[in-house]
Amino acid sequence: MLDLEPSEPLRTTEDIFVGRTVGPETRRIFGGQVLGQSVIAAARTVGEDRAVHSLHGYFLRPGDVTRPITFGVERMRDGGSFSARRVHAYQEGKVILSCIASFQSEEEGLEHQERMPEGIPDPESLPSAADLWGHIDHPLAQRVVRGRPFDLRYVTEPIYLRPSAERSAENAVWFKTYSSLPDDPRIHRAAIAYASDYTPLDPILRRHGRSWAEIGMSMASLDHAIWWHRPARADEWLLYVQSSPTASGARGLAGGRIFDREGRLVASTAQEGLVRLPKPTTPEEGRKGA
């Protein structure tokens, strides 16, 4: 999914690449896939001595998994230490994602970080998606089990098919790719961006006793930001800890921290998502929801 064509860009007013959805996870293109492919597209226009350190993007339209995605990269700036790239992901001539990525050459400076939470169980001790839902004949369950290139192990109670008993605005999950990845650090940062879009809305739903499978619920990522702090491999276990400080106006905000097993903070995220509740079918349900 992160293998764009061609390896060298076609130049117009932008650098042009084409990507595809190899194994669709949902009926629409998964936002994390487009984020990861945007990172790869932008990185191919920057020298290998500069690593992506931040990306800010807006999801503008749903994508069609049956059609290719064209990535147009604008070279906005190349300074002494930083480079900036604007990436538009197109389908049928319309932008489905717009983002700006910033790259920096390696430098030394001040160093500190938030500590990794304590008491987190090892990922090997937690059930896999196949353990939890492999036996369930439900489209959402089967997409989670068979459609993802990442192994996700929930620390908090998963809320795919039913609400959590604990109404906490927090979520924690381990993740890594099922397959080994090349040593290219650009691929690992792109893969981390890919996985960072899996669970940001979970703490919002958990706080209000909702689940992904609730009939009539409408949810979508509106925007996404990620900051990479330190190198890490996406084919080794990473802990993604998330919390939601607020929800209002049919939108919810969530922030995340990604740690490696040694406790290093390797990335931070922020996302606002659309969360529309099911419309009540009876006056009694309407009063209950209010």
Side-chain angles (χ1 to χ4, degrees):
M1 292 185 183
L2 302 179
D3 186 16
L4 304 186
E5 300 174 356
S7 57
E8 295 295 327
L10 301 174
R11 290 301 305 276
T12 57
T13 56
E14 302 175 313
D15 297 285
I16 303 299
F17 302 91
V18 177
R20 292 173 173 79
T21 300
V22 178
E25 299 187 35
T26 63
R27 288 169 292 183
R28 298 181 297 184
I29 295 177
F30 175 57
Q33 174 200 317
V34 190
L35 287 172
Q37 290 175 323
S38 295
V39 171
I40 292 294
R44 287 190 180 173
T45 70
V46 178
E48 292 188 12
D49 62 319
R50 298 190 176 190
V52 63
H53 71 88
S54 68
L55 179 144
H56 303 258
Y58 281 89
F59 298 103
L60 302 177
R61 293 178 177 86
D64 184 345
V65 296
T66 67
R67 297 181 180 276
I69 310 168
T70 300
F71 294 88
V73 182
E74 178 185 351
R75 304 189 185 201
M76 300 181 68
R77 180 178 184 270
D78 287 301
S81 301
F82 289 85
S83 294
R85 298 291 186 265
R86 189 272 294 149
V87 184
H88 281 170
Y90 303 94
Q91 280 194 321
E92 300 294 294
K94 296 181 179 180
V95 180
I96 64 172
L97 172 75
S98 178
C99 63
I100 292 180
S102 182
F103 296 75
Q104 181 189 15
S105 56
E106 186 174 354
E107 296 185 47
E108 293 185 359
L110 300 175
E111 184 86 17
H112 77 274
Q113 69 159 75
E114 177 182 315
R115 295 184 63 181
M116 181 177 174
E118 298 179 352
I120 299 293
D122 292 334
E124 293 86 358
S125 69
L126 300 171
S128 67
D131 295 331
L132 292 171
W133 305 295
H135 64 287
I136 299 176
D137 185 17
H138 187 285
L140 178 59
Q142 290 307 308
R143 285 200 300 269
V144 169
V145 171
R146 307 183 191 282
R148 290 179 169 176
F150 286 85
D151 187 353
L152 269 69
R153 306 287 179 96
Y154 267 83
V155 177
T156 45
E157 182 182 359
I159 55 170
Y160 287 114
L161 301 180
R162 62 184 60 86
S164 170
E166 181 183 2
R167 294 198 175 189
S168 168
E170 297 180 348
N171 195 69
V173 61
W174 289 98
F175 72 85
K176 72 177 184 67
T177 57
Y178 281 110
S179 302
S180 297
L181 297 177
D183 291 333
D184 187 343
R186 297 174 298 179
I187 292 178
H188 289 272
R189 294 203 173 197
I192 289 172
Y194 188 121
S196 71
D197 190 40
Y198 274 127
T199 54
L201 299 186
D202 280 35
I204 301 167
L205 298 179
R206 187 185 309 281
R207 171 63 179 80
H208 294 276
R210 304 284 179 166
S211 73
W212 283 91
E214 183 171 347
I215 296 174
M217 184 82 76
S218 177
M219 293 174 288
S221 302
L222 297 175
D223 61 6
H224 193 90
I226 179 169
W227 297 264
W228 294 266
H229 310 305
R230 296 168 179 85
R233 295 191 65 94
D235 53 5
E236 297 177 355
W237 287 112
L238 298 172
L239 176 67
Y240 196 6
V241 180
Q242 302 147 323
S243 63
S244 173
T246 184
S248 64
R251 304 182 317 277
L253 179 67
R257 302 287 185 268
I258 301 176
F259 299 87
D260 64 14
R261 296 193 75 163
E262 285 68 48
R264 298 186 311 144
L265 179 60
V266 300
S268 299
T269 67
Q271 182 179 108
E272 187 174 45
L274 173 71
V275 183
R276 286 198 178 114
L277 300 178
K279 294 182 179 180
T281 57
T282 66
E284 290 75 13
E285 289 181 357
R287 287 192 294 271
K288 181 180 179 181

